Amino acid sequence: MIRVENLKKTFGKNEVLKDISVTIKPQEVVVVIGPSGSGKSTFLRCLNLLETITAGHVYIEGVDIADKKTDINKIRTEVGMVFQQFNLFPHKTVLENIILAPMKVKKQSREQAVKKARELLGKVGLAEKENVYPDSLSGGQKQRVAIARALAMEPKIMLFDEPTSALDPEMVGEVLEVMKQLAREGMTMVVVTHEMGFAREVGDRVIFMDGGYIVEENTPNQLFNNPQHERTKLFLSKVL
Amino acid sequence: MIQLAGSFIESISVSTGFRFDLLAGYMPLFLKGTLYTIGISLFAIFIGLILGLLIGLGELMRNKLLSFPFKAYVAFVRGTPFFVQILIIHFGVIPVFLGKTNGVAAGIVALSLNSAAYIAEIFRAGIQSIDKGQMEAARSLGMTHTQAMKSVILPQAFKRMIPPLGNEFITLIKESSLTAIVAVPEIMYWARAFNGEYYRVWEPYLLAAVIYFILTFTLSILLSHLEKRLATDDKS
Ligand SMILES: Nc1ncnc2c1ncn2[C@@H]1O[C@H](COP(=O)(O)OP(=O)(O)OP(=O)(O)O)[C@@H](O)[C@H]1O
Ligand SMILES: [Mg+2]
């Protein structure tokens, strides 16, 4: 479903991703962990070309996304993304946030988009909030709307970049719950997070990144209980 | 009541030597001048807004070669006096296009081109003030750059642009007084004519000042209403 081959990314002289190769299968939930600055966000953002790729290839369902002939907007409709800072559109109501892209990009009728949006709002537990502006929502509610907004495009893959890191502790649970539900439904997910409990519970595989490399990848059980590399052990000793 | 006002004015004019009687004769001309001031300002604001948006978007183009002309234009306009710009347009540019010069055309063109540069800066700053996560969120949903600009970035940016745009409109109304030197029959043109005819200073210039103040003050009240309305729109 996602195939990354020898991906490199540099910002100026700063080589952030040095040589990343990984394959992610359909319905797999891959959790990416690693110290700050190790390139987790950059890696994720290369998967939908929010960052240009310096070298190597990213294939989404066999399509090379950096190929000039590829319509990246088409690819992006199939790869949803959820950001740490939510990035809801503050000038639009919750409902308008969700129906905007389906109407503009997929040319859905308003009725069609609204129907789907209401369904998704129900799913994330915010049915009664459709007419409020994001400003009046709590962090956890904002992030659930952001997830609904991404799902409205009916993506095949969802990318999450530290979706709970900007939340007050008491709101982390409600967002993780929505993500778990999504995983149970078989969504292919790549999740950057510091929530090790989530990684253990829903992750099929955990990738540990450090210094622009994938240092180690394994099942959560193996990686957390039996890390092979010193750097992995060091990192885990700090976060567990 | 009218009598009372009349005698009040008379007593001022006796005690200060202020010649209301001369001004009264010039009133139709000042009125016409005021309409001219409003007219050329509206024209210039309209053209300036459109040009300003285009120039502002031009400045934001990522290709440095493409954005350079727009940046150079803004730098040139901001770095030279409006007085000089008006004379260049009036005696240099307009004759090239119309064969002969024309004060009103020169005034409108000069004001438009001048305000376009300042408005471009307001647009550019407004667009850049929007968190880049907004563009990223829109693009990640599959929207094109243009769609994201239209539906997500510009509506938010416009709201932030209203106060500085208001200032720019007020500046423009005041700067339009400089078009008097190319014989646009606006407020200052008639004030100077009055001064030339009667060799009196206070009457024409004080009246001109009062008219400008009424125009700009009214505009600033309208703008602050608009700002408040938009601000409360958000919180509904
Ligand atoms: N747009 C950018 N321009 C220049 N450097 C960047 C840019 N984005 C990221 N970097 C650099 O790339 C490196 C990796 O950043 P990245 O955000 O991918 O790390 P991360 O693993 O997500 O860290 P964190 O846990 O803090 O989010 C950092 O050194 C950062 O300074
Ligand atoms: Mg990050």
Side-chain angles (χ1 to χ4, degrees):
Chain A
M1 180 140 245
I2 305 179
R3 199 165 84 246
V4 180
E5 285 178 359
N6 307 104
L7 172 64
K8 291 191 175 72
K9 173 65 188 176
T10 55
F11 290 108
K13 287 212 175 87
N14 183 12
E15 188 167 43
V16 175
L17 297 181
K18 289 179 178 144
D19 187 11
I20 305 276
S21 295
V22 66
T23 303
I24 293 163
K25 295 190 286 288
Q27 311 215 329
E28 203 179 6
V29 176
V30 173
V31 176
V32 181
I33 61 171
S36 181
S38 58
K40 305 181 297 293
S41 297
T42 308
F43 168 63
L44 208 62
R45 293 158 57 84
C46 283
L47 299 183
N48 66 352
L49 224 60
L50 278 186
E51 299 290 354
T52 56
I53 292 169
T54 308
H57 297 276
V58 173
Y59 300 92
I60 304 278
E61 298 200 299
V63 180
D64 185 344
I65 64 169
D67 190 325
K68 280 191 193 65
K69 289 194 258 353
T70 302
D71 177 2
I72 187 60
N73 296 317
K74 178 87 183 10
I75 299 288
R76 283 178 179 149
T77 63
E78 290 167 11
V79 186
M81 188 165 206
V82 174
F83 302 85
Q84 185 176 349
Q85 298 299 334
F86 326 127
N87 297 340
L88 292 178
F89 308 134
H91 61 303
K92 294 191 175 296
T93 64
V94 165
L95 191 73
E96 289 166 347
N97 261 275
I98 300 174
I99 63 175
L100 179 67
M103 288 174 62
K104 295 276 172 200
V105 180
K106 290 195 152 175
K107 312 289 177 205
Q108 289 181 6
S109 71
R110 195 182 169 86
E111 298 75 60
Q112 207 181 347
V114 167
K115 184 163 171 279
K116 176 83 187 167
R118 293 205 168 118
E119 195 184 303
L120 287 166
L121 277 174
K123 185 168 163 180
V124 300
L126 291 170
E128 76 287 8
K129 295 288 187 189
E130 66 170 62
N131 288 320
V132 309
Y133 284 85
D135 261 358
S136 63
L137 297 175
S138 72
Q141 292 172 330
K142 281 182 194 164
Q143 195 61 298
R144 285 185 280 152
V145 172
I147 293 172
R149 180 177 68 178
L151 291 176
M153 295 302 285
E154 301 182 312
K156 298 187 176 123
I157 301 166
M158 284 285 283
L159 310 175
F160 293 85
D161 190 1
E162 302 200 29
T164 57
S165 295
L167 300 179
D168 293 336
E170 72 270 21
M171 293 169 185
V172 170
E174 66 194 49
V175 172
L176 290 181
E177 204 43 59
V178 170
M179 292 168 62
K180 284 176 197 167
Q181 172 67 25
L182 209 54
R184 279 196 292 273
E185 288 168 11
M187 177 64 80
T188 309
M189 294 164 61
V190 185
V191 185
V192 175
T193 187
H194 296 298
E195 295 294 330
M196 298 304 157
F198 176 85
R200 267 182 207 280
E201 195 184 329
V202 285
D204 294 308
R205 192 155 38 122
V206 179
I207 290 177
F208 172 65
M209 280 182 72
D210 194 8
Y213 292 103
I214 293 181
V215 175
E216 187 166 351
E217 55 177 308
N218 215 325
T219 60
N221 223 334
Q222 283 297 315
L223 193 112
F224 288 128
N225 299 333
N226 189 17
Q228 299 299 307
H229 290 76
E230 279 312 311
R231 282 194 287 174
T232 319
K233 288 177 192 162
L234 188 68
F235 176 75
L236 290 176
S237 71
K238 284 183 198 149
V239 298
L240 287 180
Chain B
M1 197 59 195
I2 290 165
Q3 256 176 359
L4 204 70
S7 61
F8 178 67
I9 285 172
E10 205 177 285
S11 74
I12 292 180
S13 80
V14 171
S15 59
T16 60
F18 202 90
R19 296 289 302 273
F20 284 103
D21 54 325
L22 296 182
L23 270 186
Y26 251 74
M27 262 342 219
L29 297 175
F30 271 105
L31 189 66
K32 185 180 153 208
T34 304
L35 293 179
Y36 260 96
T37 293
I38 294 172
I40 58 172
S41 298
L42 283 179
F43 259 109
I45 285 171
F46 182 71
I47 302 172
L49 274 174
I50 293 170
L51 282 180
L53 176 58
L54 296 177
I55 296 169
L57 290 173
E59 278 190 283
L60 285 171
M61 283 193 292
R62 236 176 279 149
N63 185 326
K64 291 221 163 63
L65 226 57
L66 292 177
S67 68
F68 176 76
F70 297 99
K71 288 183 175 152
Y73 176 80
V74 170
F76 176 78
V77 171
R78 295 215 300 177
T80 54
F82 182 55
F83 190 58
V84 177
Q85 293 164 14
I86 273 196
L87 294 177
I88 291 176
I89 304 262
H90 184 64
F91 294 110
V93 177
I94 295 291
V96 171
F97 290 97
L98 299 184
K100 59 180 169 32
T101 198
N102 175 317
V104 175
I108 290 174
V109 170
L111 276 173
S112 304
L113 291 180
N114 179 272
S115 69
Y118 290 94
I119 290 171
E121 281 301 283
I122 293 170
F123 277 127
R124 186 189 57 73
I127 289 168
Q128 284 182 331
S129 77
I130 304 301
D131 186 88
K132 74 183 200 333
Q134 292 288 307
M135 178 57 93
E136 289 182 349
R139 296 306 303 274
S140 78
L141 291 164
M143 295 169 79
T144 63
H145 184 86
T146 311
Q147 286 173 330
M149 266 294 176
K150 259 171 58 185
S151 305
V152 176
I153 307 296
L154 289 179
Q156 295 183 63
F158 279 140
K159 206 174 276 185
R160 293 192 193 174
M161 290 171 196
I162 287 169
L165 278 179
N167 286 339
E168 175 54 27
F169 296 164
I170 286 169
T171 303
L172 188 146
I173 290 175
K174 294 186 291 181
E175 299 254 280
S176 75
S177 62
L178 277 168
T179 62
I181 53 164
V182 296
V184 178
E186 45 69 79
I187 297 167
M188 272 313 282
Y189 176 87
W190 295 113
R192 278 157 50 103
F194 186 106
N195 169 263
E197 185 172 343
Y198 298 113
Y199 298 104
R200 298 202 53 100
V201 174
W202 283 99
E203 288 84 355
Y205 295 141
L206 208 54
L207 177 62
V210 167
I211 299 174
Y212 279 115
F213 182 73
I214 291 171
L215 291 180
T216 56
F217 193 67
T218 312
L219 180 59
S220 67
I221 289 174
L222 287 177
L223 285 164
S224 77
H225 272 293
L226 182 64
E227 246 174 85
K228 274 197 205 109
R229 258 222 0 236
L230 288 175
T232 47
D233 270 1
D234 251 1
K235 305 265 148 53
S236 52

